[in-house]
Amino acid sequence: MGRYLVRRLLQMIPVFIGTTLLIFLMVYALGDPVAALFGDKAPDPATAARIRADLHLDEPLWKQYVLYMGAIFQGDFGTAFNGQPVTELMASAFPVTLRLTVVAVVIEIVVGITLGVVSGLKRGRPLDTGLLVLTLVVISVPTFVSGYLLQFLLGVKWGWISPSVSSEARFDELLLPGVVLALVSLAYVTRLSRTSIAENLRADYVRTAVAKGLPRRRVITRHLLRNSLIPVVTFIGADVGALMGGAIVTERIFNIHGVGYQLYQGILRNNSPTVVGFVTILVIVFLVANLLVDLLYAVLDPRIRYA
Amino acid sequence: MRGASQPTKWVACAVAVVLAASATACGGGNGAGGDGILSSSWGDPQNPLEPANTNEVQGGKVLDMIFRGLKRYDPETGEAKDMVAERIDTSDSQNFTVTLKEGWTFSNGEKVTAKSFVDAWNYAAHLDSKQNNAPFFADIVGYEDVHPEAGSPKSKTMRGLVVKDERTFTVALTDKFSTWPETLGYQAFMPLPQAFFADRAAWLDKPVGNGPYTIEAYTKGSEMRLRRWDGYQGPDKAQNAGVDLRVYTDNNTAYQDLISGNLDLVDDVPAQQLKNVEGDLGDRYINQPALIIQTLFFPFYRPEWSKPGMEKVRVGLSKAINREQITRQIFQGTRTPAKDWTSPALGEQGGYSDICGDACVFDAAEAKRLIEEGGGLPGGRITLTSNVDTGSHRQWMDAVCNSVNNVLGRGPVCTVNPVGTFADFRNQVSNARVTGPFRSGWQADYPLIQNFLEPLYYTGASSNYGKFSNQRFDALVDRANAEADEAAAVKLFQDAERILADQMPAIPLWYQNGSAGYSERLSEVKLNQFSVPVYEAIKVG
């Protein structure tokens, strides 16, 4: 296990360098960010040149990347164009998005797995068919549609909640955005766990457990569920990163000032320090989440061993 | 959580508590502020909030609340009225003596003196300060010493600025510029307290000015709380206790907040809500012309568009655009078809007049004739370019192309080149990489006809992206700038504008209106010529 962990951690380094380089190239390809700073007016050449020099934009691309990575390892993610250090932006944005992600993942796990188990146990019955149709609908509706719709119904029409989230972004305010963010993944979790449960229901060890006379509840939770969760855990693990990065739409609809908001602003204004900095952190989140998923396998299924 | 029924709220809180495994604050709501304080939508300013570094509406909005300069544009008429200035004297339209009124202070107690202005302007113009608005000071003698085109600045200060005593300073300009005092209402010319120079970083965290409001709290990227400053001595004291500016990424969300009573004022009604706005808000919806015009610039740096005879094609294209229909159907009347190269917000006196005339009126037969007489479209086709990330640009470009294609009746000869982001578009335009007509949006910095013509069409001017050049036009602008009598100057500018009507370097499309909506708590809500709400005049309750 220890050696496996070390190997995995070492593997992360090339992935990390590769992804950040790609992002860097892509943001660079968007063009010169300095022109946009001046709005509809023509940039003053001398001022623009000075800003470019300060941001190292006049250096060759490889050198910019090296300088940038060098600064990152000293904890300096650069400065956004509004004069704020990117680390400051991160400190305000990541906790908000993390809260939103936690809400979404908890909803995904609790509701998704429950529905999946119920559906899997009642395979072929009207309830199961109904859930399958429902999840299909949810998967096919884009997030911005469900987001605006729920915001309009709950926030504007019925007035149950406020249509936007305040700057503190408390947990209770994040419930609806969390649901919206979780919806699509929730449908996948339901379908995954349903199939998995339905398959394992006919497995030998379940039949044995039932034959032993174990209570139905114990058979389901200890034997059936534990073994059926592996694909679901894989999905949820990978989903944590996707949710954090994919919050752009949800955060925009509910005016949440998190990672998605900062990324959106960064892309719109061609602000490379913000975009590359945030994506770098997201890459790390992805890598760590995947590692945790792999380690969890062993806990769920002792037959899986790490050499 | 205003208006949430109690049971729902409890359920929400209970679930939240379970989720958080900690007590969350479920008491207070984030509704509209009480006690005479109003909440308003805001966008994240693009640059740090320094007067000379702010050139867009969102940052300008704040500066207008916390600063007062020598002059201020009357929110109703646009006239530049003395504010901190007692008088600005000149005998030759080139050397000015500025005298300040007595009794003005910054909200930190510092007096507003001649030095507050001179220091601020020297800072703004200096290359090392990297201020976007530095070129606004280019008319002052000695600008090239602090802001050379290449190399390092030779001086810290401009020779043309001299402090005479606490309340007087003189300004020497490089050329005659009769309307120069009227440019001084622009935010780049605001004074700065010594506190700014002592600790710039701290000042930027919580800017201090001399206007009717002070900043109580500023959370960058999300909220700014402004409160009425009771020590303010100016004539335009705030009529409300304060303004909370809340950053919205999506103006649609701000609009939903407004109609559900969570926000008091939205100064940008989203296009997709324009159908409902009358029903939702009734007479609490404002839609009035602002100092903004959209044009289609021709690339004169491309020989095919600038060769003699092409003016007929350019005028023909202008006549091929059905402005009435496009503004009505795509913009729901929030744009006004253009009749000249300025804006109706200037008023007749300021120089707005139907100068484009026939050339801006849709006439299919005439348009076709002119384009054919002029030798047809270069290569038989044109491509329109604009960024498409905001402003329904894609939709109107498609509509303009349809209009042109229908007029010519030769199939799809007009196509659209959509550019993904504003930044990329700006880049292509400033580097003269666009090969066909491209969009140019112009928001005036001050309500002067000069600002609509000189920066855009004068040879080599800062925002003359099409590289248009016409000696007669330049000469008339020079004469207008030297003319001391205001009405005569406006006439000369209009003469210059008539050359644009002949040459059509840019097709005027439409004037952009300011749009705003507000809640029942507010009254006296107005927009100024820059389509920014006149915050200090708003009454709450």
Side-chain angles (χ1 to χ4, degrees):
Chain A
M1 181 95 169
R3 274 183 59 190
Y4 175 77
L5 198 63
V6 170
R7 213 172 66 210
R8 282 295 302 265
L9 286 173
L10 284 177
Q11 277 170 1
M12 281 184 182
I13 295 171
V15 177
F16 180 75
I17 293 175
T19 40
T20 46
L21 181 63
L22 269 179
I23 308 288
F24 201 84
L25 291 176
M26 283 193 272
V27 176
Y28 187 86
L30 281 176
D32 180 9
V34 176
L37 275 182
F38 293 81
D40 271 328
K41 298 196 173 54
D44 170 56
T47 312
R50 189 56 76 93
I51 295 174
R52 275 199 195 96
D54 280 3
L55 297 173
H56 303 297
L57 289 172
D58 48 354
E59 308 270 9
L61 187 55
W62 66 268
K63 201 165 173 197
Q64 286 185 41
Y65 179 72
V66 171
L67 284 169
Y68 181 78
M69 290 310 278
I72 279 192
F73 282 112
Q74 292 161 30
D76 175 14
F77 279 82
T79 310
F81 289 138
N82 68 357
Q84 261 182 302
V86 174
T87 40
E88 213 174 88
L89 294 180
M90 289 175 178
S92 69
F94 270 100
V96 173
T97 300
L98 200 64
R99 278 206 288 276
L100 180 64
T101 314
V102 168
V103 173
V105 169
V106 169
I107 292 171
E108 223 176 286
I109 292 175
V110 174
V111 181
I113 296 182
T114 312
L115 290 181
V117 170
V118 171
S119 188
L121 291 175
K122 312 256 178 199
R123 199 160 73 133
R125 308 262 187 86
L127 179 75
D128 176 41
T129 321
L131 276 173
L132 277 180
V133 173
L134 193 72
T135 50
L136 190 67
V137 171
V138 169
I139 289 171
S140 49
V141 174
T143 310
F144 71 88
V145 174
S146 55
Y148 278 125
L149 190 71
L150 288 174
Q151 179 191 46
F152 180 72
L153 289 178
L154 293 155
V156 179
K157 196 130 198 217
W158 301 329
W160 289 2
I161 55 150
S162 126
S164 71
V165 171
S166 73
S167 50
E168 297 104 78
R170 301 184 308 267
F171 269 107
D172 58 325
E173 293 176 306
L174 291 176
L175 266 185
L176 180 64
V179 170
V180 171
L181 182 59
L183 267 182
V184 173
S185 307
L186 184 125
Y188 281 116
V189 169
T190 305
R191 290 186 150 227
L192 267 177
S193 40
R194 170 192 173 273
T195 317
S196 191
I197 291 271
E199 248 170 41
N200 286 336
L201 206 52
R202 280 171 296 187
D204 292 344
Y205 64 87
V206 174
R207 205 177 49 208
T208 312
V210 175
K212 275 198 293 190
L214 287 180
R216 188 175 156 76
R217 168 172 287 273
R218 196 172 163 78
V219 175
I220 292 170
T221 52
R222 296 294 295 177
H223 296 255
L224 183 55
L225 198 55
R226 188 167 159 172
N227 281 293
S228 310
L229 277 186
I230 289 179
V232 182
V233 165
T234 316
F235 177 79
I236 292 176
D239 205 37
V240 170
L243 285 179
M244 289 197 86
I248 291 185
V249 177
T250 317
E251 292 194 356
R252 195 173 143 87
I253 295 173
F254 294 96
N255 200 37
I256 301 168
H257 297 206
V259 172
Y261 165 73
Q262 296 294 356
L263 271 177
Y264 177 78
Q265 291 279 19
I267 292 168
L268 216 57
R269 292 176 180 178
N270 227 342
N271 199 337
S272 32
T274 317
V275 178
V276 184
F278 273 80
V279 174
T280 305
I281 300 287
L282 285 179
V283 167
I284 297 175
V285 171
F286 251 104
L287 291 175
V288 171
N290 270 311
L291 179 64
L292 285 179
V293 167
D294 287 356
L295 295 179
L296 255 184
Y297 284 167
V299 181
L300 283 173
D301 188 346
R303 284 173 303 182
I304 299 174
R305 291 267 175 268
Y306 301 109
Chain B
M1 280 231 162
R2 260 164 72 95
S5 60
Q6 282 309 310
T8 349
K9 203 168 176 176
W10 287 344
V11 172
C13 285
V15 178
V17 170
V18 172
L19 282 174
S22 69
T24 46
C26 285
N30 62 333
D35 308 328
I37 293 166
L38 66 118
S39 54
S40 174
S41 67
W42 191 34
D44 205 8
Q46 193 161 17
N47 300 305
L49 277 173
E50 291 169 280
N53 210 10
T54 298
N55 55 2
E56 39 77 56
V57 179
Q58 303 303 341
K61 201 186 266 184
V62 176
L63 294 177
D64 189 50
M65 294 167 86
I66 62 169
F67 275 107
R68 285 294 175 263
L70 293 169
K71 296 252 186 188
R72 181 159 196 260
Y73 303 114
D74 186 284
E76 300 227 354
T77 62
E79 188 194 342
K81 288 186 169 161
D82 284 340
M83 203 37 112
V84 181
E86 192 171 273
R87 55 179 196 277
I88 300 172
D89 302 312
T90 180
S91 51
D92 57 358
S93 298
Q94 191 168 354
N95 293 288
F96 296 84
T97 306
V98 181
T99 313
L100 309 183
K101 279 184 193 141
E102 200 132 19
W104 279 80
T105 54
F106 291 101
S107 59
N108 63 359
E110 274 183 50
K111 278 176 112 174
V112 180
T113 62
K115 196 170 151 46
S116 318
F117 283 95
V118 170
D119 285 354
W121 294 4
N122 277 325
Y123 171 81
H126 203 274
L127 182 57
D128 290 343
S129 321
K130 290 173 282 180
Q131 303 284 293
N132 287 339
N133 289 334
F136 280 86
F137 300 89
D139 301 314
I140 298 173
V141 171
Y143 175 75
E144 67 283 354
D145 293 340
V146 295
H147 201 104
E149 271 173 42
S152 305
K154 287 200 284 283
S155 167
K156 280 243 157 244
T157 55
M158 290 180 277
R159 290 192 310 283
L161 291 177
V162 180
V163 177
K164 291 287 174 197
D165 59 52
E166 197 171 71
R167 279 173 51 215
T168 330
F169 66 100
T170 58
V171 185
L173 303 185
T174 50
D175 280 305
K176 285 182 190 297
F177 188 176
S178 61
T179 47
W180 180 78
E182 282 163 60
T183 66
L184 297 177
Y186 187 60
Q187 58 225 19
F189 297 101
M190 297 297 143
L192 284 171
Q194 290 306 309
F196 174 86
F197 302 100
D199 188 348
R200 177 169 168 266
W203 191 91
L204 286 179
D205 280 338
K206 208 173 163 184
V208 170
N210 62 337
Y213 291 94
T214 59
I215 293 171
E216 185 187 68
Y218 180 21
T219 319
K220 277 185 190 148
S222 75
E223 196 179 26
M224 178 182 275
R225 292 187 186 163
L226 294 127
R227 294 295 171 261
R228 175 173 61 209
W229 176 36
D230 289 321
Y232 179 65
Q233 295 300 320
D236 49 350
K237 276 184 179 295
Q239 301 297 309
N240 48 58
V243 179
D244 287 344
L245 294 176
R246 287 196 215 138
V247 172
Y248 283 88
T249 2
D250 186 348
N251 55 4
N252 201 47
T253 309
Y255 185 80
Q256 306 288 17
D257 260 354
L258 172 70
I259 57 176
S260 52
N262 201 24
L263 185 74
D264 289 320
L265 177 61
V266 167
D267 62 357
D268 178 21
V269 176
Q272 64 263 45
Q273 298 289 352
L274 290 172
K275 289 188 294 291
N276 319 325
V277 71
E278 304 267 336
D280 287 341
L281 297 170
D283 55 2
R284 287 178 286 117
Y285 166 59
I286 305 174
N287 176 20
Q288 68 179 50
L291 290 168
I292 307 172
I293 184 170
Q294 294 281 346
T295 58
L296 263 185
F297 235 110
F298 289 99
F300 280 80
Y301 47 82
R302 307 276 302 185
E304 69 266 30
W305 280 109
S306 58
K307 65 179 188 227
M310 279 310 276
E311 65 274 1
K312 279 196 175 159
V313 177
R314 296 194 296 264
V315 172
L317 280 172
S318 170
K319 289 182 75 66
I321 299 169
N322 193 339
R323 296 173 178 76
E324 294 284 344
Q325 197 181 26
I326 295 171
T327 50
R328 198 174 57 240
Q329 292 187 347
I330 293 176
F331 295 113
Q332 312 277 339
T334 58
R335 304 284 189 279
T336 313
K339 293 183 170 153
D340 74 345
W341 285 262
T342 67
S343 156
L346 282 182
E348 301 267 322
Q349 236 183 340
Y352 167 69
S353 157
D354 183 4
I355 284 178
C356 189
D358 272 355
C360 284
V361 178
F362 177 68
D363 182 342
E366 185 67 11
K368 193 172 177 189
R369 192 181 66 79
L370 278 169
I371 292 174
E372 274 162 14
E373 263 186 36
L377 300 174
R381 48 179 55 252
I382 58 167
T383 306
L384 310 182
T385 303
S386 165
N387 58 313
V388 291
D389 46 354
T390 52
S392 315
H393 294 319
R394 173 98 220 203
Q395 286 91 319
W396 71 252
M397 283 201 295
D398 283 336
V400 165
C401 266
N402 274 333
S403 206
V404 171
N405 288 334
N406 289 340
V407 163
L408 292 177
R410 256 190 249 120
V413 292
C414 177
T415 45
V416 167
N417 167 27
V419 180
T421 62
F422 180 66
D424 190 16
F425 173 64
R426 295 291 333 145
N427 224 4
Q428 296 191 17
V429 168
S430 1
N431 293 324
R433 287 214 310 269
V434 187
T435 55
F438 54 90
R439 179 186 75 86
S440 170
W442 183 255
Q443 167 150 26
D445 303 310
Y446 22 81
L448 289 178
I449 184 172
Q450 177 268 346
N451 196 241
F452 278 98
L453 302 179
E454 190 175 339
L456 291 162
Y457 309 108
Y458 195 85
T459 304
S462 58
S463 296
N464 186 349
Y465 300 116
K467 308 253 189 289
F468 172 69
S469 175
N470 183 296
Q471 285 184 349
R472 280 202 302 137
F473 178 88
D474 293 355
L476 280 165
V477 167
D478 288 338
R479 272 177 60 200
N481 277 332
E483 175 60 57
D485 178 51
E486 217 175 291
V490 166
K491 282 264 172 316
L492 284 166
F493 275 120
Q494 288 183 328
D495 288 342
E497 207 181 338
R498 287 198 183 88
I499 294 172
L500 300 185
D502 290 338
Q503 292 295 315
M504 198 61 77
I507 299 177
L509 292 171
W510 32 76
Y511 312 114
Q512 191 162 324
N513 292 11
S515 66
Y518 55 96
S519 71
E520 281 161 356
R521 296 173 67 221
L522 306 187
S523 56
E524 304 290 321
V525 182
K526 280 182 223 114
L527 297 181
N528 64 17
Q529 288 83 11
F530 307 98
S531 73
V532 171
V534 186
Y535 283 104
E536 74 273 1
I538 297 174
K539 291 191 169 130
V540 180

